[in-house]
Amino acid sequence: MKSNFKYIILSVLSLNVVVSLAQERETDSIDAGTVNVVKPYTPKISDAFKIKETPSLNDSTTAKKKDIKYNIFSIPVASTFTPAKGKAATVDKEKVMKLYDNYASLGVGTYTTILGEVYLNHALSNTERVGGYFSHHSSAGDIEGVNFDDGFSETGLNAYYSNKVKDKSWKVFGGLDFGSYNWYGLPDQDMDKFDVKHSFYTAEFGGEIKFNGDVSFDESIINEGSVLYRRFGDDQDSGENRFILKAGFDIPINDAAINTKMTIDYLGGSFDRSYYLDEELNYGYFKIGVAPRYQMKQDDLTINLGVNLVFLNDTEGSKNRLFIYPNITASYRLVDELMIAYGGIEGGLIQNSYYDFAQENSFVSPTLFVVPTDQVYNASIGLKGKLSNSLSYNISGHYLADKNRALFKTNPVLGTAEENYQFGNSLGVVYDKLNTFSVAGELNVDINRNFKLALKAEYFGYNTGDEAEAWNLPDIEASLFLDYQIDEHWFAGANLFFVGERKDQFAIEQSLVFIDPPKTITLDSFFDVNAHVGYKINDQLSAFAKANNIVNKDYNRWMNYPVQGIQFLAGATYQFDF
């Protein structure tokens, strides 16, 4: 009843207010009264309702917490465990290998083979060193099917003195070499035996210097330099002199530098006779070369722009000529060290010499025409990189254009032979315009320095000018090198060579006239396998054994020049200091 009465009173009051407002709206005038403010308005923020962290419960069934009293009783436990003192674990350290500055090696083998080496290197002070090297390699030959002497002997002695200080290092050296060989490659091995021996000798001395300072006008702008004099001859009254002076320096231009290499090269020599006539052959060339090059780098791109200028004076022919060659290379990192593209076009004047020909082929006759090779250009393109820290590769292609390219070609049999090299058993040199195309691939593996493997193969294509063939140049060359450190004591290695087919020519002449048309001979490709194994007895002494031509192929390196069959050699190496 009380609540209903309240609702009735509220309803009546609300109705009166509504009626009063309606009456005031019926009048059109608004009373303009005055409003007096008793005090300024002061707003207040009422307290917000917050939930208590621990709400109080108004529940008659809430149980009171009981006080819990507890005690801890310490009971002694007998124990026989005694902890051991901590001890740091030891790390096994590899024994530091002592490196010796000197060694001596000697080996003997089949075919009465002797191989010996002595290397000496001694420090006079912290900046000075002196050393020397002696080597000997000889064999009695005894090649199957050869009726003539076929042994050889090579002996060399070299010495040096070096000095290295803060701003430069320099070195002087000298050496003597002697080699004895036989022209045993006669087409007719049933001929009466005669002496086919011949020999070469070399004497040389020189020096080199390298500066370590920065390039500036106040200091020397020369970075490096070298000088060499060589005298080369044989027992056939042939002789050759060569003098080479080289220098490398930078020419500062603003903030850049032009790297320049300069070469002065003199070659002069003579042969007692030509192959056909008893007339002396003389040759002489004086060459000056300047090759400036400017390098540009931007991000992963490197470009070397240069030119190679060569002035040649033919001292015997009294002729002068200037050669201009490109000297441009570039490289671009496609994927960091993983893939690098490179290429270039270069050229140069190659100074051929009797010494170089004899080093490559010890069966040349002492009757050569010696002229330089004009390599107009050598264009190359390739891709190289590292597939991992232990695996790298290199793929490349080349196209070379040569004028007066030197080619070894077997000399004809002379019907009126007077010398022991005129029976078709020596090689001469012919020159021709030759364009060469090649594609090469290379793979290198290096695992923890204990295992090293190198594979390389290259294919060649030739286009000659006047000659019928690119004489004695192979169409394919391939090689494999392997070194393996088996454990602390044992080590082994192997190398394999493959050389493709080559072409040579056989001819018989009588009074400068061919008795029969010359015949082109194809020399078969050959595969040569060599291996070695060694055992390290102690830090200073080790023993080794070698096997050469393991497949026992009697192949011909040059026409009518077979090689020895399978060969074995064993010896020891001793390292020491003094």
Side-chain angles (χ1 to χ4, degrees), residues 363-561:
F363 307 112
V364 292
S365 63
T367 59
L368 305 179
F369 290 96
V370 178
V371 298
T373 295
D374 177 15
Q375 189 169 94
V376 181
Y377 61 84
N378 177 0
S380 63
I381 187 171
L383 194 67
K384 63 182 180 180
K386 288 186 176 182
L387 300 178
S388 67
N389 291 332
S390 59
L391 182 62
S392 63
Y393 68 93
N394 189 0
I395 303 171
S396 62
H398 295 263
Y399 187 83
L400 293 80
D402 293 326
K403 295 180 180 179
N404 288 332
R405 171 71 181 271
L407 304 171
F408 290 113
K409 183 180 179 182
T410 297
N411 289 318
V413 178
L414 295 186
T416 58
E418 299 177 354
E419 304 292 340
N420 57 356
Y421 52 81
Q422 293 179 327
F423 295 85
N425 57 332
S426 64
L427 289 90
V429 174
V430 296
Y431 298 89
D432 195 18
K433 180 180 178 180
L434 182 68
N435 294 333
T436 306
F437 168 76
S438 69
V439 178
E442 186 175 351
L443 186 67
N444 293 282
V445 179
D446 189 350
I447 302 176
N448 297 329
R449 298 182 180 179
N450 291 330
F451 180 84
K452 294 182 180 180
L453 175 68
L455 289 167
K456 185 177 181 180
E458 189 167 8
Y459 167 80
F460 301 92
Y462 307 103
N463 184 16
T464 60
D466 298 328
E467 297 292 329
E469 300 286 348
W471 306 114
N472 281 293
L473 293 181
D475 55 355
I476 297 176
E477 284 186 340
S479 63
L480 180 149
F481 295 92
L482 170 67
D483 277 315
Y484 180 44
Q485 185 69 40
I486 302 173
D487 58 24
E488 183 181 357
H489 296 282
W490 288 97
F491 57 91
N495 53 75
L496 294 79
F497 301 94
F498 176 81
V499 177
E501 292 183 346
R502 295 136 292 141
K503 304 288 186 179
D504 207 335
Q505 189 179 83
F506 174 75
I508 301 176
E509 291 187 15
Q510 181 74 37
S511 300
L512 301 180
V513 177
F514 290 114
I515 296 177
D516 293 315
K519 297 179 181 179
T520 299
I521 307 298
T522 299
L523 302 180
D524 294 335
S525 59
F526 64 86
F527 188 67
D528 197 338
V529 181
N530 310 295
H532 69 270
V533 63
Y535 181 79
K536 188 175 180 181
I537 301 172
N538 54 46
D539 288 344
Q540 293 182 267
L541 183 63
S542 61
F544 63 85
K546 296 182 179 181
N548 296 330
N549 195 7
I550 296 176
V551 294
N552 198 27
K553 290 290 185 180
D554 297 328
Y555 60 85
N556 286 275
R557 179 62 185 89
W558 308 99
M559 189 172 73
N560 299 321
Y561 276 95

Side-chain angles (χ1 to χ4, degrees), residues 11-244:
S11 298
V12 173
L13 292 175
S14 299
L15 181 61
N16 290 331
V17 171
V18 171
V19 173
S20 299
L21 290 174
Q23 290 177 354
E24 289 178 359
R25 291 189 175 206
E26 290 178 358
T27 62
D28 295 332
S29 60
I30 298 176
D31 185 13
T34 301
V35 178
N36 295 322
V37 178
V38 177
K39 71 180 223 177
Y41 172 73
T42 303
K44 292 183 179 179
I45 299 176
S46 60
D47 293 335
F49 174 75
K50 300 179 181 179
I51 300 176
K52 294 182 179 179
E53 293 182 359
T54 306
S56 60
L57 298 177
N58 187 13
D59 192 347
S60 60
T61 61
T62 301
K64 287 185 178 182
K65 293 181 180 182
K66 294 183 178 180
D67 294 332
I68 299 175
K69 296 181 180 181
Y70 58 90
N71 295 319
I72 297 176
F73 298 96
S74 297
I75 301 175
V77 178
S79 175
T80 59
F81 172 74
T82 303
K85 294 182 179 180
K87 184 178 180 181
T90 59
V91 178
D92 294 333
K93 296 182 179 180
E94 293 185 1
K95 183 180 179 181
V96 178
M97 182 182 297
K98 178 176 174 56
L99 300 178
Y100 295 90
D101 291 335
N102 314 274
Y103 75 86
S105 179
L106 178 64
V108 294
T110 55
Y111 299 97
T112 320
T113 300
I114 300 175
L115 178 63
E117 292 179 321
V118 176
Y119 177 77
L120 303 176
N121 181 22
H122 181 64
L124 300 176
S125 65
N126 292 333
T127 61
E128 297 175 293
R129 302 192 77 88
V130 64
Y133 176 72
F134 172 81
S135 65
H136 176 81
H137 187 198
S138 63
S139 176
D142 299 329
I143 300 174
E144 184 178 357
V146 176
N147 186 41
F148 292 81
D149 292 337
D150 52 7
F152 71 91
S153 175
E154 298 173 339
T155 303
L157 176 63
N158 298 273
Y160 75 91
Y161 169 83
S162 66
N163 188 301
K164 185 176 182 181
V165 292
K166 181 178 180 181
D167 58 342
K168 64 179 178 295
S169 60
W170 57 276
K171 178 180 180 181
V172 293
F173 57 86
L176 298 170
D177 292 281
F178 180 81
S180 177
Y181 309 91
N182 287 281
W183 284 302
Y184 64 86
L186 282 83
D188 184 8
Q189 290 291 326
D190 295 327
M191 294 179 61
D192 293 336
K193 189 174 180 180
F194 58 89
D195 185 17
V196 291
K197 185 177 180 180
H198 67 285
S199 59
F200 301 114
Y201 68 87
T202 307
E204 65 180 22
F205 63 88
E208 55 189 36
I209 187 170
K210 185 175 182 180
F211 296 92
N212 304 319
D214 297 330
V215 176
S216 68
F217 286 107
D218 298 332
E219 300 177 359
S220 174
I221 63 174
I222 297 178
N223 298 328
E224 57 186 4
S226 65
V227 62
L228 171 69
Y229 171 75
R230 177 190 296 125
R231 172 66 182 181
F232 178 73
D234 59 28
D235 61 346
Q236 307 289 324
D237 294 330
S238 307
E240 180 181 81
N241 297 303
R242 190 168 189 182
F243 176 82
I244 304 174

Side-chain angles (χ1 to χ4, degrees), residues 326-358:
N327 191 15
I328 302 171
T329 60
S331 65
Y332 183 73
R333 296 179 181 272
L334 299 174
V335 186
D336 294 330
E337 296 291 332
L338 181 65
M339 188 178 297
I340 302 174
Y342 65 93
I345 178 168
E346 301 172 282
L349 189 67
I350 302 172
Q351 185 73 285
N352 297 311
S353 68
Y354 184 29
Y355 171 83
D356 294 331
F357 291 143

